[in-house]
């Protein structure tokens, strides 16, 4: 009998990051990983009430969120301010959240 944690781990790979559904393979810091990339927008930032004191990198650059299994990135979990590569592009880590084996990594880049 599998535990709840075992089932979540299976779901992370077989459901959430399923390459036939939403998941895509990208190089994250040089490691090929199944992940989901989401482009954030100013409207999203404003709608969650975070826009008052926040800068808007989407006007001058890129603002993306990466969802990936923590184990797929190897031993090092990204931290705030760290340089982080997605394929050929370099970003700064703005936030990292971990929940049940999945990382949600907020990345920004200034294209000016």
């Amino acid at each position: 009998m599998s535990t709840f944690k075992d089932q979540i781990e299976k779901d992370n790979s077989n459901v959430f990051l399923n390459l036939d559904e939403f998941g895509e393979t990208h190089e994250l810091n040089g490691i090929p990983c199944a992940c989901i990339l989401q482009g954030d927008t100013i409207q999203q930032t404003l709608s969650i009430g975070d826009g008052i004191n926040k800068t808007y990198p989407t006007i001058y650059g890129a603002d993306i969120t990466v969802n990936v299994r923590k184990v797929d990135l190897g031993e090092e979990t990204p931290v705030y301010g760290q340089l982080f590569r997605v394929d050929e592009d370099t970003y700064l880590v703005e936030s990292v959240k971990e929940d049940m084996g999945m990382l949600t990594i907020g990345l920004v880049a200034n294209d000016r």
Side-chain angles (χ1 to χ4, degrees), residues 18-108:
N18 183 329
L19 295 176
D20 292 328
E21 300 291 337
F22 294 113
E24 299 176 323
T25 300
H26 289 276
E27 270 196 27
L28 305 179
N29 275 347
I31 302 169
C33 296
C35 62
I36 297 172
L37 298 183
Q38 304 168 62
D40 292 340
T41 65
I42 293 173
Q43 291 83 6
Q44 178 185 12
T45 301
L46 291 174
S47 70
I48 59 173
D50 200 22
I52 296 171
N53 296 316
K54 185 174 173 118
T55 58
Y56 301 105
T58 52
I59 294 173
Y60 304 111
D63 185 356
I64 66 170
T65 300
V66 178
N67 298 101
V68 64
R69 289 183 338 141
K70 181 178 180 178
V71 297
D72 290 346
L73 284 182
E75 306 236 349
E76 186 179 329
T77 300
V79 296
Y80 175 81
Q82 174 184 338
L83 290 177
F84 191 91
R85 287 186 334 278
V86 177
D87 299 324
E88 301 296 322
D89 298 320
T90 302
Y91 298 86
L92 283 175
V93 175
E94 184 176 60
S95 64
V96 179
K97 298 174 186 169
E98 181 182 353
D99 190 20
M100 301 190 89
M102 292 288 292
L103 293 177
T104 301
I105 307 166
L107 302 171
V108 296

